[in-house]
Amino acid sequence: MMTKIHYRLIGAPVDSGRVGRGCLMGPDAMRTARLADALADLGHDVTDMGNLSPDDVPGVDVSSHVHAYAETAG
């Protein structure tokens, strides 16, 4: 018998820290693929907490080779 688990899905659309973009759509792809429904179909409880939207971290001097530091640190 499988143990019922309560999952909380948290979207973290992080697409910073490097010049080439690519991960921003990850949380939406998780929802499009119906991950929450698949877990629920297995008998688990699922709560989708939505996407995080962190604040920038201002006022930090970093080397110019670090891309989008404030956004990434946030």
Side-chain angles (χ1 to χ4, degrees):
M1 177 177 212
M2 184 172 56
T3 303
K4 186 174 186 173
I5 299 172
H6 185 122
Y7 289 96
R8 288 190 179 98
L9 304 179
I10 301 170
V14 177
D15 201 27
S16 64
R18 53 172 288 171
V19 176
R21 300 295 201 169
C23 298
L24 192 62
M25 297 294 293
D28 292 332
M30 168 185 74
R31 292 181 184 99
T32 299
R34 300 185 54 211
L35 176 62
D37 293 335
L39 292 168
D41 289 347
L42 291 172
H44 301 295
D45 292 323
V46 182
T47 303
D48 187 343
M49 306 297 289
N51 287 351
L52 300 176
S53 53
D55 294 330
D56 285 348
V57 177
V60 178
D61 291 327
V62 295
S63 175
S64 62
H65 74 277
V66 177
H67 179 73
Y69 174 82
E71 180 184 355
T72 303

